[in-house]
């Protein structure tokens, strides 16, 4: 069959345009054309009975047509010969295709233009086909993370014809067609106040009030309304109440995800729906294996917003599947996942290993947003992962100019908190110093203070910025509009000042005024010290009493004049005799016994955190003999006698006997 190029135009009415009638219509008056159109289109415009939704496109070998009054069509230019036989064959072949075959054909198209070009070759477009076409356009437009429908597609004649028919015939659509169209259009981010969206939403709300929508359609409706950013909690609550009578076990995974999104849109109403949410959490356990990476991220985010801290079985199962999907998350999804897992206190070595492989595999090409979020997760969970930290250091050196102050903080702060210096630490901190010199005033005061404090934890002291930090002007900026400085900021500034005295004797700049100095770094909240592990403390105390002979030979929780609190202090005279803790004269040496429980170390390791390392450095510089008693060494002891011998070796390693 010869190839003939046809110029296709969309008609303003929905009947099949008969190419062979072009010449006849040209010679007839407008009223005649209107009569013929009315007779042919009676199923659309005259009949009051619901008819199957059909969009009919105009195919003719002619130039453009236009309508002056919305009904009368006037041909412009000379008509060309039609290909009635080829057109009839096309319609007949299409009618033979099933919906599944048509869906498969749609899935072969990789662009919206291809979809629109294909459906423009079809004479009659039934409702399911039109809805499927919209859904496919939505899929290809969102495939690459597009945020809005392109202008070329918005103004495409076929797309406009589809939208026009969905708007005009909303009341005649089936539930599936109506909800599919609304879902697709909401994902295409059309204007929520457009007449098309308003028409579809109004029809959906009418059907919702009548109670005729099934559970699947209710999920689609709720999710679409949430996506349109105008959910209306009244409508969403009506959806939730109708869903409560549904059998959740029969719903697909995407429907369960939609329910979480609906509940997430009205978190203030979650208390009255908690029993229903508990059912959803239980059912979700069975659908986790079928969730996509995007869905896993969405569910975890919803659980955080809804504060489902009691849904730990679901969180644990989601966490196990997160490990499998780490390479497939987008930056935003990975951020949501890591924030949620941190919120619920979840972490395991398999997840850490997966993150290490993901970040190390990308290495030079790693997205700096991904690196910062992974570092933030490691910092919050106190996970010392050298491969991740090393990649983060390289990422900072390459991208420091385009990072925001908050992102710089997320990349650098974990080095201090986890007490780790990367192999290229000198280059990292030189780069950081250059960034601070050029952008100092752009950093929020609290972010800047915490960043500089993190550097001092691993002995990269910000000497060049201390004068600015201790100045009243910076402290006023730090206070902002609050009536007073918060306790944590004061503690950080005080420890930086103590660092300048003990570790930077060459610093000769301004000092921190006494009114800004705290008395103790150990506070119930926002503490720069980690309290003792009480169970470990009790065990050590029993051994010390056996070793020293009495309880009055040592003191517990001693606050020094330098803001630090010593777990156990033992005083020795010049000859090495142990003195009672009440004696202050003739004290030659003070022993600071550090009872280090698991919380003072990085997660599942024996590597001390930065805040504990700086405390030991400062105590040694102040003249204390620092003795560390870590939990893993004490737990390895099998008897009370072994504990006493262990403490004797720790405290009096240079003496053959103990004297008191």
């Amino acid at each position: 069959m010869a190839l003939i190029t046809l110029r296709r135009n969309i008609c303003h009415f929905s009947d099949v345009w008969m190419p062979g009638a072009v010449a006849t219509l040209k010679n007839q008056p407008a009223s005649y054309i209107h009569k013929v159109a009315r007779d042919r289109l009676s199923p659309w415009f005259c009949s009051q009975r619901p008819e199957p939704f059909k969009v009919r496109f105009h195919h003719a070998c002619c130039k453009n047509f236009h309508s002056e009054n919305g009904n009368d069509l006037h041909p412009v230019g000379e008509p060309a010969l039609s290909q009635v036989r080829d057109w009839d064959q096309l319609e007949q072949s299409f009618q033979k295709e099933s919906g599944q075959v048509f869906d498969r054909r749609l899935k072969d198209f990789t662009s919206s233009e291809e979809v629109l070009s294909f459906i423009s070759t079809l004479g009659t477009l039934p409702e399911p086909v039109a809805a499927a076409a919209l859904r496919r356009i939505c899929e290809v437009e969102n495939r690459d993370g597009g945020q809005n429908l392109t202008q070329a597609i918005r103004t495409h004649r076929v797309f406009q014809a589809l939208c026009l028919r969905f708007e005009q015939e909303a009341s005649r659509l089936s539930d599936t067609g109506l909800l599919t169209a609304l879902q697709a259009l909401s994902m295409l981010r059309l204007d929520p106040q457009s007449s098309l969206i308003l028409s579809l939403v109004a029809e959906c709300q009418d059907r919702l009030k009548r109670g005729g929508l099934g559970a699947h359609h209710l999920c689609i409706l709720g999710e679409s309304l949430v996506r349109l950013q105008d959910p209306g909690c009244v409508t969403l609550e009506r959806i939730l109440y109708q869903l409560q009578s549904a059998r959740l076990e029969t719903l697909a995974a995407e429907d369960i995800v939609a329910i979480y999104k609906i509940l997430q849109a009205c978190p203030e109403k979650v208390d009255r729906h908690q029993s229903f949410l508990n059912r959803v959490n239980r059912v979700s356990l069975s659908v986790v294996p079928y969730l996509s990476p995007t869905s896993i991220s969405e569910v975890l985010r919803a659980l955080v917003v809804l504060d489902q801290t009691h849904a730990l079985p679901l969180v644990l199962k989601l966490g196990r599947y997160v490990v499998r999907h780490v390479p497939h998350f987008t930056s935003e999804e990975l951020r949501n996942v890591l924030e949620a897992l941190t919120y619920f206190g979840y972490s395991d070595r398999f997840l850490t290993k997966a993150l290490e492989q993901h970040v190390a595999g990308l290495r030079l090409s790693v997205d700096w947003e991904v690196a910062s979020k992974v570092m933030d997760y490691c910092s919050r969970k106190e996970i010392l992962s050298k491969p991740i930290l090393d990649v983060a250091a390289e990422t900072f050196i390459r991208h420091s100019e385009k990072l925001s102050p908050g992102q710089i903080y997320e990349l650098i702060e974990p080095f201090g908190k986890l007490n780790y210096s990367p192999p290229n630490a000198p280059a990292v901190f030189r780069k950081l110093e250059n960034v601070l010199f050029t952008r100092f005033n752009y950093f929020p005061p609290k972010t800047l203070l915490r960043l500089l404090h993190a550097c001092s934890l691993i002995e990269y002291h910000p000497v060049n910025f201390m004068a600015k930090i201790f100045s009243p002007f910076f402290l006023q900026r730090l206070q902002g509009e609050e009536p007073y400085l918060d306790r944590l900021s004061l503690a950080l500034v005080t420890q930086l000042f103590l660092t300048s005295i003990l570790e930077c004797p060459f610093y000769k700049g301004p000092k921190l005024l006494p009114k800004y100095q705290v008395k103790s770094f150990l506070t119930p909240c926002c503490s720069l010290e980690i309290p003792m592990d009480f169970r470990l403390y009790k065990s050590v105390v029993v051994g010390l009493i056996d070793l020293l002979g009495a309880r009055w030979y040592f003191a517990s929780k001693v606050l020094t004049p330098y803001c630090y609190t010593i777990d156990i202090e033992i005083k020795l005279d010049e000859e090495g005799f142990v003195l009672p803790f009440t004696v202050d004269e003739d004290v030659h040496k003070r022993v600071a016994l550090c009872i280090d429980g698991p919380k003072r170390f990085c997660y599942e390791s024996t590597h001390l955190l930065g805040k504990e390392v700086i405390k030991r450095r400062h105590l040694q510089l102040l003249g204390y003999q620092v003795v560390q008693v870590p939990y893993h060494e004490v737990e390895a002891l099998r008897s009370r006698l072994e504990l006493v011998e262990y403490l004797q070796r720790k405290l009096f390693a240079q003496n053959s006997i103990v004297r008191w």
Side-chain angles (χ1 to χ4, degrees):
M1 180 174 66
L3 296 176
I4 300 175
T5 302
L6 303 179
R7 182 179 297 228
R8 303 180 179 91
N9 299 282
I10 302 173
C11 195
H12 287 277
F13 56 83
S14 59
D15 198 8
V16 178
W17 182 261
M18 302 300 294
V22 171
T24 303
L25 288 175
K26 182 179 179 182
N27 297 323
Q28 300 295 336
S31 61
Y32 175 80
I33 298 175
H34 181 71
K35 178 178 182 300
V36 173
R38 185 179 64 239
D39 294 340
R40 288 181 175 272
L41 304 180
S42 58
W44 279 96
F45 296 102
C46 302
S47 176
Q48 300 300 319
R49 293 172 300 174
E51 296 290 339
F53 177 89
K54 295 184 179 180
V55 178
R56 300 173 184 269
F57 293 103
H58 160 225
H59 296 262
C61 299
C62 61
K63 295 185 178 180
N64 292 340
F65 284 74
H66 67 274
S67 172
E68 295 180 354
N69 59 11
N71 294 314
D72 301 332
L73 298 177
H74 302 274
V76 180
E78 295 299 324
L81 294 177
S82 63
Q83 301 294 328
V84 179
R85 181 176 302 174
D86 291 344
W87 173 246
D88 290 341
Q89 291 176 353
L90 179 60
E91 280 202 287
Q92 292 172 5
S93 64
F94 171 70
Q95 291 172 357
K96 294 179 181 178
E97 292 182 328
S98 66
Q100 292 180 348
V101 173
F102 183 82
D103 285 342
R104 285 198 297 269
R105 294 185 66 178
L106 279 179
K107 290 185 182 300
D108 292 335
F109 300 127
T110 58
S111 69
S112 298
E113 289 82 359
E114 291 179 359
V115 176
L116 294 174
S117 177
F118 170 66
I119 64 175
S120 68
T121 63
L122 306 176
T124 302
L125 201 59
E127 171 204 319
V129 175
L134 271 182
R135 183 174 61 241
R136 183 56 184 166
I137 291 173
C138 168
E139 292 171 353
V140 298
E141 288 295 320
N142 287 277
R143 179 182 52 203
D144 300 323
Q147 294 298 314
N148 292 292
L149 191 63
T150 61
Q151 185 64 22
I153 302 302
R154 287 177 182 271
T155 57
H156 197 289
R157 293 183 173 187
V158 180
F159 182 76
Q160 289 183 338
L162 276 174
C163 293
L164 179 63
R165 280 304 166 202
F166 275 111
E167 178 182 348
Q168 293 179 345
E169 300 299 323
S171 61
R172 297 190 179 189
L173 297 173
S174 66
D175 291 343
T176 300
L178 176 65
L179 272 303
T180 301
L182 181 62
Q183 182 185 42
L185 293 170
S186 67
M187 295 181 70
L188 290 173
R189 298 175 178 85
L190 297 185
D191 181 11
Q193 299 304 316
S194 65
S195 58
L196 170 60
I197 298 296
L198 293 176
S199 176
L200 295 178
V201 170
E203 178 61 27
C204 289
Q205 289 177 334
D206 288 342
R207 300 189 188 188
L208 177 64
K209 292 178 182 177
R210 295 195 297 266
L213 296 178
H216 174 63
H217 293 148
L218 289 171
C219 293
I220 295 177
L221 175 58
E223 184 179 14
S224 301
L225 292 176
V226 171
R227 195 178 291 115
L228 290 171
Q229 299 179 347
D230 186 21
C233 278
V234 175
T235 302
L236 293 184
E237 281 204 77
R238 184 177 286 115
I239 292 173
L240 290 173
Y241 279 122
Q242 293 188 21
L243 281 171
Q244 290 181 14
S245 61
R247 292 184 57 199
L248 299 181
E249 297 79 5
T250 63
L251 296 181
E254 58 268 21
D255 295 329
I256 298 297
V257 177
I259 293 176
Y260 279 113
K261 291 181 181 178
I262 298 169
L263 289 162
Q264 184 181 349
C266 294
E268 67 279 1
K269 304 290 183 65
V270 71
D271 289 340
R272 69 177 66 176
H273 299 293
Q274 187 59 58
S275 59
F276 173 64
L277 184 52
N278 292 338
R279 288 176 54 206
V280 177
N281 291 337
R282 289 193 296 270
V283 172
S284 298
L285 288 168
S286 62
V287 303
V288 168
Y290 308 103
L291 295 178
S292 65
T294 299
S295 296
I296 289 177
S297 172
E298 291 171 342
V299 171
L300 282 171
R301 178 61 182 165
L303 291 174
V304 171
V305 173
L306 300 171
D307 192 28
Q308 297 299 289
T309 53
H310 60 279
L312 290 181
L314 177 58
V315 173
L316 292 174
K317 191 165 186 178
L318 287 167
R320 290 196 294 270
Y321 279 86
V322 163
V323 175
R324 307 181 185 185
H325 295 300
V326 164
H328 309 295
F329 289 116
T330 64
S331 299
E332 182 69 16
E333 291 168 355
L334 187 58
R335 180 183 67 84
N336 289 336
V337 166
L338 295 179
E339 286 182 352
L341 295 181
T342 303
Y343 178 83
F344 291 111
Y346 177 91
S347 62
D348 61 33
R349 63 181 184 275
F350 300 108
L351 177 58
T352 302
K353 189 68 175 178
L355 291 172
E356 288 177 349
Q357 293 175 348
H358 178 58
V359 173
L362 298 173
R363 200 157 190 93
L364 296 179
S365 61
V366 66
D367 189 322
W368 52 266
E369 289 186 344
V370 171
S372 65
K373 296 311 172 186
V374 174
M375 284 287 281
D376 184 51
Y377 169 75
C378 290
S379 175
R380 293 188 189 185
K381 296 301 298 179
E382 299 177 347
I383 298 172
L384 178 63
S385 172
K386 294 182 180 180
I388 292 176
L389 293 168
D390 291 344
V391 171
E394 297 175 4
T395 302
F396 173 73
I397 292 175
R398 291 197 309 273
H399 301 291
S400 58
E401 289 77 11
K402 58 177 129 179
L403 296 176
S404 69
Q407 291 161 343
I408 292 175
Y409 172 76
E410 286 180 347
L411 283 174
I412 299 300
E413 185 265 351
F415 291 106
K417 184 174 183 178
L418 302 175
N419 183 33
Y420 177 73
S421 295
N424 57 348
V428 169
F429 290 98
R430 277 198 305 269
K431 176 69 74 171
L432 176 61
E433 187 175 33
N434 292 335
V435 170
L436 291 177
F437 271 125
T438 57
R439 299 165 58 188
F440 185 87
N441 292 328
Y442 292 97
F443 278 77
K446 290 186 178 181
T447 300
L448 180 63
L449 175 60
R450 294 177 184 181
L451 178 63
L452 296 179
H453 179 265
C455 296
S456 72
L457 294 180
I458 49 176
E459 299 184 85
Y460 282 90
H461 305 299
V463 179
N464 293 327
F465 303 100
M466 285 182 175
K468 295 183 178 180
I469 294 297
F470 300 148
S471 69
F473 173 73
F474 178 81
L475 295 174
Q476 289 176 0
R477 286 184 58 207
L478 195 63
Q479 181 174 339
E481 298 180 357
E482 299 296 327
Y484 51 84
L485 272 171
D486 63 279
R487 175 79 185 185
L488 177 60
S489 296
L490 289 175
L492 294 174
V493 175
T494 304
Q495 194 168 54
L496 275 176
F497 177 61
L498 188 60
T499 299
S500 69
I501 296 174
L502 297 176
E503 300 188 68
C504 308
F506 47 85
Y507 171 73
K508 303 301 180 182
K511 307 297 182 182
L512 182 66
L513 296 177
K515 67 178 181 179
Y516 294 114
Q517 299 178 25
V518 299
K519 302 300 182 183
S520 173
F521 292 139
L522 183 62
T523 55
C525 62
C526 306
S527 177
L528 298 187
E529 297 183 67
I530 301 173
M532 286 186 295
D533 182 284
F534 185 68
R535 184 181 62 84
L536 180 62
Y537 166 75
K538 288 177 62 178
S539 299
V540 173
V541 165
V542 170
L544 281 176
I545 293 175
D546 288 347
L547 175 65
L548 302 179
R551 178 66 180 80
W552 58 77
Y553 285 110
F554 60 91
S556 302
K557 299 181 181 179
V558 179
L559 176 62
T560 68
Y562 315 101
C563 308
Y564 291 111
T565 299
I566 298 176
D567 298 335
I568 292 179
E569 183 185 50
I570 300 175
K571 300 175 182 178
L572 304 177
D573 65 8
E574 190 173 0
E575 297 181 1
F577 285 97
V578 180
L579 300 172
F581 71 86
T582 56
V583 174
D584 290 327
E585 298 82 9
D586 300 326
V587 177
H588 179 71
K589 180 183 293 186
R590 295 174 185 267
V591 179
L593 200 63
C594 298
I595 313 299
D596 296 328
K599 292 185 178 180
R600 292 184 178 179
F601 298 89
C602 293
Y603 180 72
E604 292 188 346
S605 77
T606 57
H607 188 86
L608 277 173
L609 294 171
K611 62 173 66 176
E612 290 298 319
V613 173
I614 192 174
K615 174 182 177 180
R616 285 154 175 71
R617 286 205 315 267
H618 287 179
L619 289 177
Q620 287 175 341
L621 291 171
L622 290 167
Y624 286 88
Q625 177 186 335
V626 179
V627 176
Q628 181 182 359
V629 180
Y631 74 98
H632 52 274
E633 292 182 359
V634 175
E635 289 178 351
L637 303 175
R638 294 174 293 181
S639 66
R640 191 165 172 171
L641 178 60
E642 287 186 2
L643 175 61
V644 174
E645 292 174 349
Y646 167 80
L647 291 174
Q648 181 176 353
R649 291 193 302 270
K650 282 281 185 177
L651 293 171
F652 309 103
Q654 298 177 351
N655 299 337
S656 57
I657 59 174
V658 180
R659 294 173 291 179
W660 60 84

